[in-house]
Amino acid sequence: MSLFSEILQFVFTGLTIGSIYSMVGLGFNIIYNATTIINLAQGEFVMFGGLIMVFLTVVLKFPLFVGFPLTVIVVMAIGAVFERFAIHPLRNASLLTLIIVTIAASILFRGIAMFIWGKDPYSLPPFTPGSPVMIGGAVIMLQTFWVLGTTLAIVVLTTLFFGKTIVGKAMSACSFNPMAASLMGIHVRKMILISFALSAGLGAVAGIVITPMSLMDYDRGPMLAVKGFCAAVLGGLGVGYGVVLGGFIVGLLESLTAGLIHSGFKDAVALVILLFILCFKPSGIFGSEEVSKIKKF
Amino acid sequence: MLEVRRLNSFYAAVQALKNVSISVKKGDIITIIGANGAGKTTLLKTISGLILEHDGNILYEGKSLSGLLPGEIVALGICLVPEGRQIFGHLSVLDNLKLGAYLYYDRRHKDEIRENMEKVYAIFPILKNRRRQLSGTLSGGEQQMLAIGRAMMSRPKLMMMDEPSMGLAPLMVREIFRVIQELHHDGTTILLVEQNARAALKMGVFGYVLETGEIVLQGDTKILLEDEKVKHAYLGK
Ligand SMILES: Nc1ncnc2c1ncn2[C@@H]1O[C@H](COP(=O)(O)OP(=O)(O)O)[C@@H](O)[C@H]1O
Ligand SMILES: [Mg+2]
């Protein structure tokens, strides 16, 4: 294998894991836009997405097109229940308290998943059967295109949602100034509930499309949350396309580091990026300093 | 139009309003003056449904508002221009105005929304020029205009304003008061809360003086403007 095709291989791997980080980052974004909470249980939504999909399609033998939406709905319900029982009752708590509650939730979710599925990783068949394609000497699995396509679709949808629809703007108004949002007739608590459900659904989609490539186990969440958070901060929290580019950058650097230097450094890459960005441009590459000055958090 | 009867409002253990009764007739401008901390904001927030802990009656067109959500109260035609403007600084001027129309923002009402927006722009031409600008970068006076414009978008019959002149330059204060007059002229009933007592009393027909959560004085604004106690405490004489 030539160096060129080897690097191309790393690039495709990087883009694929970058897609997942992007989707996790976008999940952060939705809840952040509605509440300024960073939901550290976001990775667990991904994990539930993968494992519930395995249960529905491998164990219960549901076809893909039934299992996919059903899984998303179940995980959205988990997100909604989480909001109702853990976030909603604490409406007067500080932001920090709420973020710690999301950490507690992530531990609880992992416990539940381990109880149900054990510690073994599970796999799914790829969405479209067929042999990998060769591009410039690199081997690309067909599932890669599903992952990239899904990410693209989700970026476009969330950007349109927050940028163009009145409900998206109303949702962002809830975090910026909940009191003023209520005075516009926006039902703030309902918006927050919707944001948790949407974000959970998005996590589920990420988990479903990635499981055929990288398997899924109960303990996958925290690392995904860390990487997704790096992506979000790197691109600029609240900025959809920024978060996605952030995810791709983290994914690419990670894969190139693993391939060209040593795979042991892989997980450190994201943290180094995070430190750099927090030191030199805390609003992120695409976050406007103007907006971040206006925002409280 | 609006009757507040023996209202008590609380922040946890603190009672911020005691036995407050006011009455607003359709087409009036009613003025409430009072020092800092008197409870003016609390009164307006309670009417808007933002303060849940209260007893007493709030009747709007004969119907009790208690138990209604802020959005349901807005839908009835009562809107609040809150103290400190509270615009959505991360959104454009245009988006702020759109959110003002949130409760009826759909395709069916497209024409009405455009009409209302033109009304806002007619009163505040500067908002039209700045409609794509991030609203957090507007000046204080422009933000107040936007806050009023956003409230106008909700189709209010009764507009409550919490210290709209606060922190503004004298020229801008005059402009804001002119606009309030204009809104009133166009048929909106106004409940105006101010520390800028003289200007506010001159504008209203009937006034209330709020002190530490209680109404201590009320009457025609002409009489209040001549009242020795009012002159001494609020008009700087
Ligand atoms: N969120 C709050 N929690 C507790 N006390 C409050 C709160 N907001 C206002 N207060 C108290 O209620 C009283 C009335 O406040 P407010 O209605 O803001 O007065 P005004 O608008 O006339 O300046 C004050 O004593 C104030 O300290
Ligand atoms: Mg006040």
Side-chain angles (χ1 to χ4, degrees):
Chain A
M1 215 183 196
S2 70
L3 181 63
F4 171 76
S5 50
E6 225 176 291
I7 290 184
L8 200 61
Q9 186 77 59
F10 298 145
V11 167
F12 270 102
T13 310
L15 288 178
T16 312
I17 50 176
S19 294
I20 299 307
Y21 300 163
S22 302
M23 282 194 262
V24 175
L26 286 172
F28 278 126
N29 232 7
I30 293 176
I31 291 179
Y32 172 83
N33 271 341
T35 63
T36 70
I37 295 174
I38 306 286
N39 168 34
L40 292 170
Q42 188 64 32
E44 274 63 37
F45 293 149
V46 178
M47 175 270 289
F48 276 135
L51 292 179
I52 292 172
M53 182 71 174
V54 169
F55 175 72
L56 291 177
T57 57
V58 176
V59 180
L60 297 185
K61 304 255 186 284
F62 284 5
L64 176 71
F65 65 90
V66 178
F68 197 128
L70 207 53
T71 303
V72 173
I73 290 169
V74 170
V75 180
M76 286 177 85
I78 295 175
V81 168
F82 167 41
E83 196 280 334
R84 257 311 96 125
F85 289 96
I87 303 292
H88 185 90
L90 299 173
R91 57 179 154 267
N92 297 320
S94 74
L95 190 58
L96 190 61
T97 310
L98 291 169
I99 293 176
I100 291 171
V101 166
T102 70
I103 299 179
S106 90
I107 296 171
L108 177 70
F109 287 153
R110 256 174 285 152
I112 294 172
M114 193 178 76
F115 180 74
I116 300 176
W117 286 284
K119 293 187 173 181
D120 295 331
Y122 289 82
S123 174
L124 276 175
F127 290 5
T128 32
S131 43
V133 291
M134 302 285 286
I135 297 180
V139 186
I140 322 285
M141 289 201 279
L142 294 180
Q143 188 68 19
T144 305
F145 299 106
W146 278 102
V147 174
L148 292 173
T150 306
T151 308
L152 191 71
I154 285 178
V155 180
V156 171
L157 288 178
T158 54
T159 308
L160 286 178
F161 177 67
F162 282 111
K164 295 272 181 264
T165 71
I166 191 79
V167 178
K169 284 169 188 167
M171 196 176 268
S172 77
C174 292
S175 73
F176 190 82
N177 190 330
M179 191 264 287
S182 326
L183 287 175
M184 301 299 106
I186 300 166
H187 197 316
V188 176
R189 300 309 308 182
K190 199 153 79 187
M191 280 295 179
I192 293 175
L193 181 68
I194 293 173
S195 79
F196 272 79
L198 278 181
S199 174
L202 203 165
V205 170
I208 293 169
V209 296
I210 194 69
T211 302
M213 302 190 74
S214 66
L215 314 184
M216 189 56 71
D217 60 71
Y218 83 101
D219 201 22
R220 196 63 69 81
M223 199 51 111
L224 285 173
V226 170
K227 306 287 176 63
F229 181 67
C230 291
V233 173
L234 177 63
L237 254 176
V239 188
Y241 64 90
V243 171
V244 173
L245 288 174
F248 283 136
I249 294 171
V250 175
L252 280 173
L253 288 177
E254 202 175 290
S255 145
L256 290 171
T257 308
L260 301 176
I261 305 173
H262 192 283
S263 63
F265 294 138
K266 187 175 71 116
D267 291 331
V269 170
L271 295 173
V272 173
I273 297 175
L274 186 61
L275 283 179
F276 263 90
I277 202 79
L278 288 177
C279 287
F280 296 111
K281 196 165 184 306
S283 56
I285 305 179
F286 303 96
S288 125
E289 308 224 349
E290 216 172 36
V291 174
S292 68
K293 249 183 261 159
I294 293 167
K295 283 205 172 189
K296 292 162 287 182
F297 178 73
Chain B
M1 183 179 215
L2 181 76
E3 289 290 332
V4 175
R5 287 192 203 135
R6 290 193 291 284
L7 180 68
N8 298 291
S9 291
F10 306 85
Y11 293 104
V14 183
Q15 181 164 9
L17 291 180
K18 287 171 218 131
N19 213 12
V20 170
S21 298
I22 66 167
S23 146
V24 179
K25 278 201 275 307
K26 199 169 162 56
D28 278 355
I29 298 186
I30 299 296
T31 305
I32 300 175
I33 60 172
N36 223 342
K40 307 183 293 298
T41 299
T42 305
L43 174 58
L44 298 192
K45 279 189 173 173
T46 311
I47 297 170
S48 291
L50 292 168
I51 293 173
L52 301 174
E53 283 182 80
H54 65 266
D55 55 56
N57 280 323
I58 305 174
L59 300 172
Y60 176 71
E61 292 178 337
K63 185 175 175 296
S64 170
L65 297 186
S66 55
L68 295 190
L69 293 169
E72 295 170 324
I73 292 171
V74 177
L76 290 175
I78 303 181
C79 81
L80 169 62
V81 181
E83 180 178 346
R85 340 215 192 284
Q86 318 289 347
I87 56 160
F88 302 115
H90 68 300
L91 295 174
S92 70
V93 169
L94 185 61
D95 285 343
N96 271 270
L97 293 177
K98 284 182 183 169
L99 283 177
Y102 179 77
L103 283 175
Y104 61 103
Y105 197 93
D106 55 36
R107 205 157 276 129
R108 258 183 327 124
H109 293 95
K110 220 169 127 207
D111 295 336
E112 187 180 357
I113 289 168
R114 182 150 17 81
E115 247 170 61
N116 288 341
M117 209 166 277
E118 285 310 321
K119 266 186 223 158
V120 173
Y121 288 152
I123 292 185
F124 303 116
I126 190 140
L127 292 184
K128 188 165 193 179
N129 301 332
R130 302 279 172 92
R131 65 188 181 281
R132 310 245 166 255
Q133 190 173 325
L134 201 59
S135 63
T137 63
L138 296 173
S139 75
E142 290 159 355
Q143 293 194 6
Q144 186 63 62
M145 293 177 182
L146 179 57
I148 296 173
R150 187 179 64 177
M152 286 170 65
M153 292 302 293
S154 73
R155 309 186 286 194
K157 294 184 202 129
L158 169 63
M159 194 185 279
M160 307 191 288
M161 302 201 183
D162 196 348
E163 303 204 34
S165 76
M166 198 211 295
L168 300 184
L171 210 63
M172 190 57 80
V173 173
R174 214 172 313 152
E175 171 69 12
I176 296 293
F177 277 108
R178 181 191 66 74
V179 166
I180 296 173
Q181 210 95 59
E182 195 169 330
L183 290 175
H184 175 241
H185 192 259
D186 289 343
T188 312
T189 308
I190 309 269
L191 178 55
L192 175 65
V193 156
E194 268 293 344
Q195 286 196 53
N196 192 341
R198 187 185 306 275
L201 284 175
K202 275 187 183 153
M203 199 142 73
V205 289
F206 197 85
Y208 296 88
V209 179
L210 198 58
E211 254 171 41
T212 56
E214 289 177 273
I215 303 276
V216 293
L217 205 62
Q218 55 183 296
D220 286 347
T221 50
K222 284 196 193 72
I223 294 166
L224 289 181
L225 277 165
E226 294 305 320
D227 186 277
E228 283 309 317
K229 267 187 291 177
V230 173
K231 270 189 188 170
H232 181 75
Y234 299 102
L235 304 175
K237 272 190 202 159

